[in-house]
């Protein structure tokens, strides 16, 4: 089992952000429609980010920018479409953390590192484990004790097999010497509905999905997976505080382009995207509503970060024999 530390999980993520002013503007932007492919359905967290920045990008690029939702196979269908698109600046891919797990989880029709070029690491957010308020769990230790008393008797929901929530609970269970039962869902909405209804004992997902329900007292926060407690959930301890030293896991959001996209186009798009993300309205929504800590790391930062995410979480997938349909 790989050791999960802040260094391995956030390698490169906290490097100096790419500053928009240094980007040399291309004389003209490619004619025609500029597509942002979101490989998930409307809703969630990736789609809102794309729609937040679309108006500013359209204005700054002087082009028609459209959002195309291409859901399926944990984001790999939309990713495949962009990977096979012409590297002419008209196709861009917005991804979630599943993008780093998919190569180990399923057989892809493209190479995630060779066929897609990194553009921007938008930001990160810890996962949050929460339980139905009818359950007696006040902390992660309570869940561990219950799982020891009744192996496989404690259930947790996630947004799918191979999600960071699923893999995080797998690592925590192994470190604690317990087994709990994973209940995968096809997305955050169905998982959250069943968690609130009490059909599962707990749910683990990005802070963006879970925090509002904890603040609304629909769920009780058990633990977060960041290095520090969330400002929005000051009473919910971290996994590190709960007896799992060095354990951290983060949801993340990034942007890729078809492999071979010219550097001036990548730099221009990244610079304009950063400017859009730095608009006060957008920043406030990302930080307050989605609980995202902006990183705004450029291509090399994302390349390093992505490779490390693939290494760490791919090892968890392989060691446990997980497959997309498991």
């Amino acid at each position: 089992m790989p050791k999960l530390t802040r260094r391995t999980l956030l390698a490169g993520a906290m490097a100096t952000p790419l500053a928009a002013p240094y980007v040399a503007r291309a004389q003209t932007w490619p004619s025609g429609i500029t597509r942002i492919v979101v490989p998930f359905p409307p809703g969630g967290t990736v789609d809102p980010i794309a729609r937040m920045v679309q108006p500013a990008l359209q204005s700054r690029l002087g082009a028609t920018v459209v959002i195309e939702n291409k859901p399926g196979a944990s984001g790999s269908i939309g990713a495949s479409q962009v990977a096979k698109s012409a590297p002419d600046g008209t196709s861009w891919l917005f991804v979630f953390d599943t993008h780093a797990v998919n190569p180990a989880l399923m057989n892809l029709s493209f190479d995630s590192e060779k066929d897609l070029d990194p553009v921007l690491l938008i930001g990160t957010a810890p996962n949050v484990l929460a339980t139905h308020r009818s359950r007696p769990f006040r902390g992660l230790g309570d869940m561990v004790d219950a799982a020891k008393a009744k192996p496989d008797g404690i259930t947790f929901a996630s947004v799918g097999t191979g999600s960071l929530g699923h893999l995080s609970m797998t690592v925590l269970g192994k470190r604690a010497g317990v087994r709990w039962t994973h209940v995968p869902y096809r997305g955050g909405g169905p998982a959250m509905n069943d968690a609130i209804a009490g059909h599962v004992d707990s749910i683990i997902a990005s802070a963006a999905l879970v925090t509002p329900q904890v603040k609304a007292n629909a769920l009780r926060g058990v633990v977060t997976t960041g290095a520090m407690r969330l400002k929005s959930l000051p009473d919910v301890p971290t996994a590190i505080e709960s007896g799992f030293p060095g354990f951290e896991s983060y949801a993340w959001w990034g942007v890729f382009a078809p492999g071979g996209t010219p550097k001036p186009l990548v730099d221009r798009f990244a610079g304009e995207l950063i400017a859009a993300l730095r608009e006060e309205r957008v920043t406030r929504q990302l930080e307050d509503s989605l609980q995202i800590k902006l990183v705004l790391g450029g291509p090399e930062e994302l390349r390093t970060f992505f490779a490390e995410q693939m290494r760490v979480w791919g090892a968890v997938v392989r060691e446990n024999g997980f497959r997309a349909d498991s």
Side-chain angles (χ1 to χ4, degrees):
M1 180 67 63
K3 183 179 180 181
L4 305 181
T5 67
R6 186 169 181 79
R7 181 177 180 182
T8 59
L9 292 175
L10 288 180
M14 302 313 296
T16 302
L18 179 65
Y22 106 95
V23 178
R25 284 178 173 267
Q27 294 259 332
T28 58
W29 189 251
S31 61
I33 293 174
T34 297
R35 300 177 307 141
I36 294 176
V37 174
V38 173
F40 303 99
T45 56
V46 182
D47 183 72
I49 294 174
R51 296 187 187 279
M52 283 181 209
V53 300
Q54 185 268 347
L57 277 177
Q58 185 159 277
S59 175
R60 298 181 69 86
L61 292 172
T64 299
V65 177
V66 299
I67 312 298
E68 292 188 1
N69 296 92
K70 298 289 183 180
S74 195
S76 65
I77 291 177
S80 174
Q81 177 179 314
V82 174
K84 297 172 183 177
S85 297
D88 58 6
T90 62
S91 295
W92 305 87
L93 175 70
F94 279 34
V95 302
F96 186 54
D97 51 53
T98 55
H99 188 63
V101 179
N102 286 341
L105 195 66
M106 62 186 73
N107 295 320
L108 301 177
S109 62
F110 64 97
D111 187 305
S112 298
E113 293 183 288
K114 295 179 180 178
D115 296 333
L116 290 166
D117 288 345
V119 176
L120 187 72
L121 176 59
I122 294 174
T124 65
N127 287 287
V128 177
L129 173 66
T131 186
H132 191 268
R133 299 194 74 84
S134 67
R135 304 308 196 266
F137 313 128
R138 300 286 172 175
L140 189 54
D142 293 337
M143 288 187 64
V144 169
D145 290 343
K148 286 181 177 178
K150 189 179 180 182
D152 298 317
I154 306 302
T155 58
F156 73 92
S158 84
V159 299
T161 299
S163 65
L164 261 291
H166 174 212
L167 300 183
S168 295
M169 288 296 284
T170 299
V171 174
L172 288 170
K174 287 203 167 187
R175 286 183 57 170
V178 300
R179 300 195 314 267
W180 22 55
T181 297
H182 177 221
V183 184
Y185 288 81
R186 294 183 181 275
M192 183 55 71
N193 288 342
D194 272 10
I196 292 173
H199 298 319
V200 289
D201 293 316
S202 61
I203 181 172
I204 183 167
S206 71
L209 180 66
V210 181
T211 298
Q213 304 303 330
V214 174
K215 295 183 73 172
N217 291 320
L219 297 173
R220 180 190 302 116
V222 174
V223 74
T224 68
T225 64
M228 301 174 62
R229 295 191 184 196
L230 282 167
K231 291 182 180 179
S232 57
L233 298 175
D235 296 328
V236 180
T238 66
I240 295 172
E241 293 176 292
S242 302
F244 295 85
F247 181 86
E248 298 173 51
S249 69
Y250 296 88
W252 60 273
W253 295 260
V255 182
F256 288 80
T261 299
K263 186 176 184 298
L265 292 176
V266 170
D267 287 349
R268 172 79 187 277
F269 189 83
E272 305 297 15
L273 178 56
I274 287 171
L277 290 165
R278 283 179 172 162
E279 289 187 359
E280 182 180 357
R281 171 188 61 84
V282 175
T283 298
R284 185 170 60 251
Q285 284 184 273
L286 292 174
E287 294 180 344
D288 294 346
S289 299
L290 297 182
Q291 306 295 310
I292 295 174
K293 181 177 182 179
L294 288 176
V295 175
L296 305 183
E300 291 310 310
E301 287 83 359
L302 177 53
R303 189 187 308 279
T304 300
F305 177 83
F306 180 58
E308 189 66 8
Q309 291 286 297
M310 287 181 64
R311 184 190 69 80
V312 170
W313 296 112
V316 177
V317 169
R318 289 185 290 271
E319 288 170 8
N320 291 278
F322 294 141
R323 297 300 295 169
D325 57 353
S326 62

